[in-house]
Amino acid sequence: MSNLVLIGAQWGDEGKGRIVDVIADKVDVVTRYQGGSNAGHTIVIDGETIILHHIPSGMLREGKLSIIGNGVVVDPGVLLDEIERLRSAGYVVFDGNLKLSDRAHVVMPYHKDIDLAREESLGNIKIGTTGRGIGPVYEDKVARRGIRVSELIDKESLEKRLRSVLEEKNLYLTKVLDREPIDFERVYGEYTQYGEELKPYVTDTSMLLNDLISAGKRILFEGAQGVLLDVDFGTYPYVTSSSAGAGGACTGTGVSPTKIDHVFGVVKSYTTRVGGGPFPSEVSGELGLKLREYGAEYGSTTGRPRRCGWFDSVAVRYSAKLNGISGLALTKLDILTGFEKIKICVGYEYNDEILTNFPSSVEVLTNCSPVYEELGGWEDELSNLAKYSDLPPQARAFLDKIEETTGVPIFVISLGASREQVIFLKELFS
Ligand code: IMO
Ligand code: MG
């Protein structure tokens, strides 16, 4: 048995989809366990870019089973669109290689309306959500008024649930948020159609996963977002509404922690964040713009420009500790070519004190200044290198410094978007 969780160890967009695609080769099943269409996992194959929001990135490897677990919140229109796009790109997607949990919660039109209206009303203290209804749908799940996939595919249950929920939602939309009410018939018609189309994929994925594990199959749990956006451990309230860390893999799939053997973290060679909230190693001015341009740092879900900064070891060490991360996948090392100096944040200065642990307070995080170690940069193009020993000494020193300051070994580095542009430094399951 060797089941592994792969999570983002920063603020999302670390390149999780890209790394899952690389290691999906070594597993039988890839499952998502949290988040929804707020995720945008980008994979480039033969020059063609594919962005996945719900479907695990393992779908792009032939013969792998993809599972959307109970902890995911599903926007059925977006999911069906994703299936269509994959098919037109030549991938085979059918009820034999894609399974959707009957317990997953469904994103409804009012969730998106509420998300957008609330953000608008927050003005310059808004969270900067993706506008996909993520907060409101998880709220409904916890408040026990959500609609699950099992109801979506059953017309009578959907009618009953939608009628009762919509009454309250329309009051809230019109009286509190000053929005238009939502028409029952329109939503009911649209969603029963979605239910019919998705029905073949729906099953009890927790039973399925446990049976697969018993049969000796290897499972990869694909995290979305990142630890610093986790609802408990992220920079609250500037977080997403789910458990993006490794713990979410168990609650979001119905697989016991005793069945999980490894947790790996994906980190970018620098840091990015999209949306509001503290970001201690953020770099402003020309240097920040240079990172954005070199790294093409624009959101794959919303197209928003990402905020950019240096690698933050304090944050990654925190992520690693909380989640038991035993190996890092480091992406976009090639992007750092052409920077005269490269910095790594190793502490936060706050009120004349140096903090080396990630603080829980947004107030502290917002008002601290980063303490950097500075390394020499390199001019060599890295994207075509095949071996670790081909890397310039400055790049190797950078990798060493990351391992030393985060306390976690790097097992793979990525030097570009295509499948070949990776160098494994260590055996994955050693
Ligand atoms: P992947 O899986 C980066 C951010 C949003 C916002 C906050 C809350 O591609 O790494 P939400 O819509 O979830 O309520 O927004 O979380 N966010 C992400 N940032 N990558 C993501 O996903 C994200 N998903 C949500 O920008 O700051
Ligand atoms: Mg993304």
Side-chain angles (χ1 to χ4, degrees), residues 12-14 16 38-42 299-301 306:
D13 302 323
E14 299 90 351
K16 295 175 290 292
N38 50 347
H41 295 175
T42 307
S300 43
T301 297
R306 296 179 183 140

Side-chain angles (χ1 to χ4, degrees), residues 177-189:
L177 298 174
D178 202 17
R179 295 271 152 153
E180 291 298 311
I182 285 177
D183 177 55
F184 171 85
E185 294 301 336
R186 183 184 66 79
V187 177
Y188 182 64

Side-chain angles (χ1 to χ4, degrees), residues 258-326:
T258 58
K259 300 277 166 46
I260 292 173
D261 310 284
H262 305 277
V263 179
F264 296 121
V266 187
V267 288
K268 211 168 339 199
S269 300
Y270 44 98
T271 311
T272 62
R273 170 163 208 171
V274 56
F279 178 178
S281 68
E282 183 168 15
V283 177
S284 57
E286 231 167 84
L287 202 55
L289 288 179
K290 184 169 163 181
L291 276 170
R292 181 185 294 158
E293 293 316 315
Y294 280 27
E297 294 296 347
Y298 295 89
S300 43
T301 297
T302 57
R304 290 177 291 176
R306 296 179 183 140
R307 299 155 65 191
C308 297
W310 295 115
F311 188 89
D312 184 343
S313 287
V314 181
V316 173
R317 194 169 57 238
Y318 165 79
S319 295
K321 201 179 271 187
L322 288 176
N323 292 284
I325 293 174
S326 62

